[in-house]
Amino acid sequence: MPINAQILDNPKSDRVRRIADLVRDKGRERSGRFLIEGPQAVREAVTWRPDVVQDLYVEVSQALEHPRIISSTLEKIVDKSQDSTIYVHYCSGDVIRHISKDAQGILAVGNARAMQCDTEDLKLGRKPHIAAFWQVRDPGNAGTVIRAADAAGCDAVVFVDDCVDPLNPKVIRSTVGSLFHLPVLHMGTDEFFGWAKDHDMDVWAADVYGTEDRRPESLPQVLADPASADEAKAVLFGNEARGLEPEILGKCDRIVSIPLYGKAESLNLGTSAAVMLMSLAMSGHIETM
Amino acid sequence: MPINAQILDNPKSDRVRRIADLVRDKGRERSGRFLIEGPQAVREAVTWRPDVVQDLYVEVSQALEHPRIISSTLEKIVDKSQDSTIYVHYCSGDVIRHISKDAQGILAVGNARAMQCDTEDLKLGRKPHIAAFWQVRDPGNAGTVIRAADAAGCDAVVFVDDCVDPLNPKVIRSTVGSLFHLPVLHMGTDEFFGWAKDHDMDVWAADVYGTEDRRPESLPQVLADPASADEAKAVLFGNEARGLEPEILGKCDRIVSIPLYGKAESLNLGTSAAVMLMSLAMSGHIETM
């Protein structure tokens, strides 16, 4: 409801400096807030997680007597935000661009604590499908895998052990809004395996090599049995460079690899996650169509 | 065989300037050559398409009496190149970095004409699987889809109509070597449909929307019939922003869409190609395992 009529037009003001600081890990830690950039991500945040969004910063043109939001796309997002208690601030283009080169006229500031999802908060259905990522470090990859998990209809994403901060603006940009579509949890390695056990989920490792005494099953073999593809499970993917350590593989119930039919030596983490999660989801849905 | 003992150490020399110019479309057109950057792409080029590679530029250290290639990884690539008539030039680090920030110590210059594959040159098997892309414009996407087609064991990639140059260094980097694993052709739209017909291949459009009178089939339905998934075909993907035009869809034998099970609105081109091509490949391979 509240729209601040005063236009923020000083890129050097304290407020603008504090928002721009959210691009950095330290800025987010210090303030407990995070930055959402661009129409698509802001729209998805306002639509699906209005409880998280505190402030909206939108570019206005001052060419006419009254300030005017620069496009109808952005106007619709601002309208939608007015269903909730989100503060809207009109800004000059200079201010918006000073905060972020990826804003395309709109930014939001969210409450980091409200985005946090703990295992106690998470309500899982009868047959949960979880996508888990161990030590994912690259922000672009982290965003891509969250988007893939969303597309595959996973119930949640778990970042296991030491991963990139999912509230890093680069991660959020790469999720194209999916960060606001499903819960993203963070757990230690032991905590993750304990949690999966408590919820009767098998943990499947997505891994090409397996261990000395356990060769991976090939994904098409797994898909040939739709009932198995559809069972409650958490699929665990490894670090982009090092994969999964043997100790981690040893704790997994199954090891499944994506076959390569040509001469390519590998798929990257984002593509592997999309292929495995989507093909399991499709296999699980074949019977019900 | 031929190794040039003289070390190139002047970043401003004519030769270095000419190589650096291959980053630009005009530089490649003018010279008929193209640039391959970094150990992985150069290794794959030297291994699979030595006929294409003319010159290798490798970084040496001059700290000792004799110049020494800076790592054993690069040494192995140079050794491999000596099975063919590839000229090796020792370079200072400055020269290598001046040509490309993505060289990691090694570059190759290839013959663009030798990379060209025409329909007459292409020998297709009994049941070809082709990945085709209409008006793909982004170099990163173009590289990713070539890599996905390689992983899925496609017989060739066809860039249809006005696409990015596959010899653009950004495309090559994104293929991670796959450009040298399978033929990449370029055709006009009519030429493509005529060629597919001549080779008894159905053209499947990968498209979410379909046309007014033809709804797309859902990919899992298609996969439920492995014989159909395995038949001779060219799968055609649209432009990253605009998809496929109705006129193009009208010429396709089938329209197949990837279902989205969560709240994600779309997958990007690279991910869509990987999911569709890999799941068709896996479906075709289930029976034979």
Side-chain angles (χ1 to χ4, degrees):
Chain A
M1 213 157 308
I3 293 193
N4 191 338
Q6 201 192 329
I7 294 167
L8 297 177
D9 59 2
N10 179 8
K12 292 183 178 162
S13 70
D14 272 2
R15 177 185 274 266
V16 171
R17 198 182 41 70
R18 278 198 307 271
I19 303 169
D21 203 37
L22 299 179
V23 170
R24 303 189 305 133
D25 286 358
K26 286 215 171 146
R28 293 194 297 281
E29 272 168 38
R30 199 157 33 214
S31 66
R33 290 162 190 221
F34 71 102
L35 190 63
I36 308 163
E37 305 160 298
Q40 189 158 19
V42 172
R43 188 191 63 216
E44 295 306 294
V46 164
T47 305
W48 297 101
R49 295 301 305 272
D51 57 308
V52 159
V53 183
Q54 297 178 323
D55 294 270
L56 221 61
Y57 296 87
V58 64
E59 182 176 344
V60 293
S61 153
Q62 299 173 69
L64 301 169
E65 199 181 339
H66 296 290
R68 218 192 137 107
I69 294 173
I70 57 164
S71 77
S72 61
T73 304
L74 303 189
E75 243 168 38
K76 274 183 209 148
I77 300 170
V78 170
D79 280 353
K80 179 84 195 161
S81 79
Q82 297 309 287
D83 301 344
S84 320
T85 318
I86 296 171
Y87 287 80
V88 177
H89 308 265
Y90 289 162
C91 302
S92 69
D94 275 358
V95 160
I96 293 283
R97 284 185 294 274
H98 181 81
I99 299 173
S100 162
K101 287 187 176 54
D102 299 288
Q104 298 170 64
I106 196 161
L107 294 161
V109 169
N111 178 346
R113 185 180 292 270
M115 274 300 281
Q116 232 172 48
C117 178
D118 296 321
T119 49
E120 304 91 65
D121 309 331
L122 187 66
K123 285 178 186 47
L124 291 175
R126 197 175 49 85
K127 217 173 12 173
H129 293 157
I130 306 292
F133 300 90
W134 182 77
Q135 293 192 355
V136 56
R137 295 283 165 77
D138 176 78
N141 284 341
T144 307
V145 300
I146 292 172
R147 188 181 182 188
D150 180 16
C154 292
D155 296 280
V157 168
V158 183
F159 279 8
V160 182
D161 203 47
D162 191 14
C163 291
V164 63
D165 176 10
L167 301 184
N168 177 317
K170 279 189 204 157
V171 177
I172 300 182
R173 277 205 304 278
S174 308
T175 70
V176 197
S178 285
L179 184 71
F180 306 106
H181 294 165
L182 78 175
V184 178
L185 292 84
H186 180 248
M187 298 182 196
T189 303
D190 290 341
E191 189 189 356
F192 166 69
F193 281 98
W195 173 77
K197 199 170 179 186
D198 289 347
H199 289 79
D200 288 327
M201 285 185 271
D202 276 1
V203 178
W204 295 16
D207 189 82
V208 180
Y209 303 107
T211 60
E212 263 184 39
D213 52 349
R214 267 168 89 203
R215 307 301 313 146
E217 305 169 68
S218 185
L219 180 56
Q221 285 177 297
V222 174
L223 296 173
D225 175 11
S228 138
D230 195 36
E231 74 187 18
K233 65 182 163 304
V235 184
L236 180 65
F237 297 83
N239 171 272
E240 39 267 85
R242 293 175 294 117
L244 288 166
E245 287 174 355
E247 200 196 316
I248 307 263
L249 289 174
K251 298 181 191 204
C252 294
D253 300 289
R254 297 174 80 165
I255 305 177
V256 181
S257 75
I258 300 173
L260 294 171
Y261 298 110
K263 300 193 188 93
E265 284 168 26
S266 64
L267 294 172
N268 68 24
L269 175 61
T271 305
S272 302
V275 169
M276 179 145 331
L277 297 172
M278 286 297 297
S279 58
L280 287 169
M282 289 191 289
S283 178
H285 281 79
I286 283 177
E287 295 178 302
T288 61
M289 282 189 331
Chain B
M1 213 155 308
I3 293 195
N4 190 339
Q6 200 192 332
I7 295 167
L8 296 178
D9 58 3
N10 179 6
K12 293 181 178 164
S13 70
D14 272 1
R15 177 184 273 268
V16 172
R17 198 181 41 72
R18 277 199 306 272
I19 304 168
D21 203 36
L22 299 179
V23 170
R24 302 188 307 131
D25 286 357
K26 285 213 169 147
R28 293 194 298 280
E29 272 168 38
R30 197 158 35 217
S31 66
R33 292 164 188 220
F34 70 102
L35 189 63
I36 309 163
E37 306 159 297
Q40 189 158 19
V42 173
R43 188 192 64 215
E44 295 306 294
V46 163
T47 305
W48 297 101
R49 295 300 306 272
D51 58 308
V52 159
V53 183
Q54 297 178 325
D55 294 272
L56 221 60
Y57 297 87
V58 63
E59 181 176 344
V60 293
S61 154
Q62 299 174 68
L64 301 170
E65 198 181 340
H66 296 291
R68 216 192 140 105
I69 294 174
I70 56 163
S71 77
S72 61
T73 304
L74 303 189
E75 245 169 35
K76 273 183 210 149
I77 300 170
V78 171
D79 282 354
K80 179 84 195 157
S81 78
Q82 296 309 289
D83 300 345
S84 320
T85 318
I86 296 171
Y87 287 81
V88 178
H89 308 266
Y90 290 160
C91 302
S92 69
D94 274 357
V95 159
I96 293 281
R97 283 185 294 272
H98 181 80
I99 300 173
S100 163
K101 287 186 175 58
D102 299 288
Q104 299 168 65
I106 197 160
L107 294 160
V109 169
N111 178 345
R113 185 180 294 269
M115 273 300 280
Q116 231 171 48
C117 178
D118 296 322
T119 50
E120 304 89 67
D121 308 331
L122 187 66
K123 286 180 184 46
L124 290 175
R126 196 176 49 86
K127 215 170 16 171
H129 293 159
I130 305 293
F133 301 90
W134 183 77
Q135 294 193 354
V136 58
R137 295 283 165 78
D138 176 79
N141 283 342
T144 305
V145 300
I146 292 172
R147 187 180 181 190
D150 180 17
C154 292
D155 297 280
V157 168
V158 183
F159 278 8
V160 182
D161 202 47
D162 189 14
C163 290
V164 63
D165 176 11
L167 301 183
N168 176 317
K170 279 189 204 159
V171 176
I172 301 181
R173 278 206 304 278
S174 307
T175 70
V176 198
S178 286
L179 185 70
F180 306 106
H181 294 166
L182 78 176
V184 178
L185 291 85
H186 180 248
M187 298 183 195
T189 303
D190 290 343
E191 190 188 356
F192 165 70
F193 282 97
W195 173 77
K197 198 171 179 183
D198 288 346
H199 289 81
D200 288 326
M201 285 185 270
D202 275 1
V203 178
W204 296 15
D207 188 82
V208 180
Y209 305 106
T211 60
E212 262 183 40
D213 52 349
R214 267 168 88 204
R215 308 300 314 147
E217 303 170 69
S218 186
L219 180 55
Q221 285 177 296
V222 174
L223 296 172
D225 175 10
S228 138
D230 196 37
E231 73 188 17
K233 66 180 162 303
V235 185
L236 179 65
F237 298 82
N239 171 273
E240 40 266 86
R242 294 174 294 117
L244 288 166
E245 286 175 358
E247 200 196 317
I248 307 262
L249 288 174
K251 299 182 190 203
C252 295
D253 300 288
R254 295 174 80 165
I255 306 177
V256 180
S257 75
I258 301 174
L260 295 170
Y261 298 111
K263 300 191 188 94
E265 284 168 26
S266 64
L267 295 171
N268 68 25
L269 176 61
T271 304
S272 301
V275 168
M276 180 147 327
L277 298 172
M278 286 297 297
S279 59
L280 287 169
M282 290 192 289
S283 178
H285 280 79
I286 283 177
E287 295 177 305
T288 60
M289 282 191 329

